[in-house]
Amino acid sequence: MTTDELIQATAAFVQGRLEGLEGGHDWWHTWRVWQTARRLQALEGGDPAVIELAALLHDVADSKFQGGDESAGPRETEAWLRSQGAEPALVEAVTAIVAHLSFRGQFKSAPERPAAARTLEFALVQDADRLDALGAIGVARTFSYGGYTGAALFDPRILPRNQLSPEAYKSGRGPSLNHFHEKLLKVRDHLNTASARRWAESRHRFLETFLEEFALEWEGRDAPGEGPRGQ
Ligand code: ADP
Ligand code: NI
């Protein structure tokens, strides 16, 4: 099997596994991360096969949908690649990326990460995954996830928490709007590569614009004759 054939077979396998999941974590999230990772690879370099396969497999067994089991993703990644006869070094590199991406909600700086998660390939796949949390798509995914867990859009009595423990993050019980402050607005400052940081700028601004508009409408400051937008 050529590398291209392995990538195509992996895409078909993952699509089969993820189709129909919650809209923020379905096959199309993985498809976008794959495409973004390819573009970042063209700008930043790195091994294309490792990057594409890790992007495709990064959420194959998302712990959120596996009763919190963080080991299912790497396990399934390894089993799949082996079943396709991939080279051991390729299996190892891709599995290591999937294993360390799955520690969610944590912004670990590079020195705190194990060696397998300090490669350019890891950096690009993580950046691609994080870019999908920003912009219009980031807004859509957040409310899709909030709908899935039954969260409120916003609740003025519940303030965003500044420091979220991984457990509190995973329980995901707060209003969806708090997630912007708890995580999404911080993403821009935790990207690994210059290309991803440039890419994030307009997506980050869009989040800020969305939050401003949301607050304006919540308080009725856009009513006729009132405030900045009143006619
Ligand atoms: P990853 O980017 O590693 O897949 P997550 O699965 O934690 O990270 O989050 C992916 C997306 O799901 C977030 O960008 C956000 O849109 C949505 N999401 C995750 N947790 C929450 C939450 N508690 N409230 C609202 N949206 C969330
Ligand atoms: Ni993802």
Side-chain angles (χ1 to χ4, degrees):
M1 193 187 273
T2 66
T3 304
D4 263 3
E5 285 166 349
L6 176 59
I7 290 170
Q8 289 314 319
T10 302
F13 165 69
V14 174
Q15 180 163 12
R17 291 288 313 272
L18 301 185
E19 207 139 38
L21 283 190
E22 179 272 307
H25 295 85
D26 61 357
W27 156 247
W28 295 110
H29 160 65
T30 286
W31 178 82
R32 291 188 302 271
V33 172
W34 178 28
Q35 299 309 312
T36 301
R38 283 164 54 108
R39 291 193 168 96
L40 289 175
Q41 191 281 329
L43 295 165
E44 296 277 339
D47 182 329
V50 172
I51 290 168
E52 291 195 42
L53 290 168
L56 280 167
L57 289 158
H58 86 279
D59 273 339
V60 73
D62 192 325
S63 65
K64 270 198 291 326
F65 307 107
Q66 306 284 328
D69 180 0
E70 299 269 6
S71 68
R75 216 172 42 236
E76 291 198 24
T77 294
E78 189 176 3
W80 162 255
L81 291 174
R82 279 206 184 146
S83 76
Q84 300 304 296
E87 292 293 325
L90 183 60
V91 179
E92 200 184 321
V94 175
T95 304
I97 295 176
V98 172
H100 293 105
L101 272 182
S102 69
F103 289 97
R104 280 163 211 287
Q106 296 181 34
F107 290 128
K108 279 195 176 157
S109 58
E112 296 172 58
R113 297 194 299 244
R118 273 185 261 134
T119 61
L120 177 58
E121 289 77 14
F122 176 89
L124 294 185
V125 177
Q126 187 175 58
D127 280 353
D129 194 27
R130 288 181 170 170
L131 280 167
D132 206 54
L134 306 182
I137 287 172
V139 172
R141 290 181 74 207
T142 301
F143 291 103
S144 175
Y145 189 76
Y148 172 79
T149 61
L153 301 181
F154 175 57
D155 185 334
R157 298 166 302 183
I158 306 176
L159 295 176
R161 293 157 293 184
N162 248 338
Q163 274 301 319
L164 274 191
S165 68
E167 292 69 35
Y169 177 82
K170 280 178 205 158
S171 77
R173 277 272 155 240
S176 296
L177 211 80
N178 290 7
H179 190 66
F180 289 81
H181 299 284
E182 291 166 349
K183 178 178 171 196
L184 304 184
L185 291 174
K186 298 177 184 169
V187 166
R188 179 182 61 170
D189 297 331
H190 289 89
L191 294 166
N192 302 300
T193 62
S195 299
R197 280 191 288 274
R198 276 177 55 201
W199 200 338
E201 273 312 310
S202 61
R203 294 188 180 196
H204 182 91
R205 271 200 307 279
F206 185 86
L207 294 182
E208 292 176 333
T209 305
F210 173 80
L211 290 173
E212 283 162 21
E213 179 70 20
F214 193 101
L216 196 74
E217 295 178 14
W218 190 274
E219 293 161 9
R221 284 184 285 123
D222 58 337
E226 283 206 33
R229 289 248 311 272
Q231 300 87 16

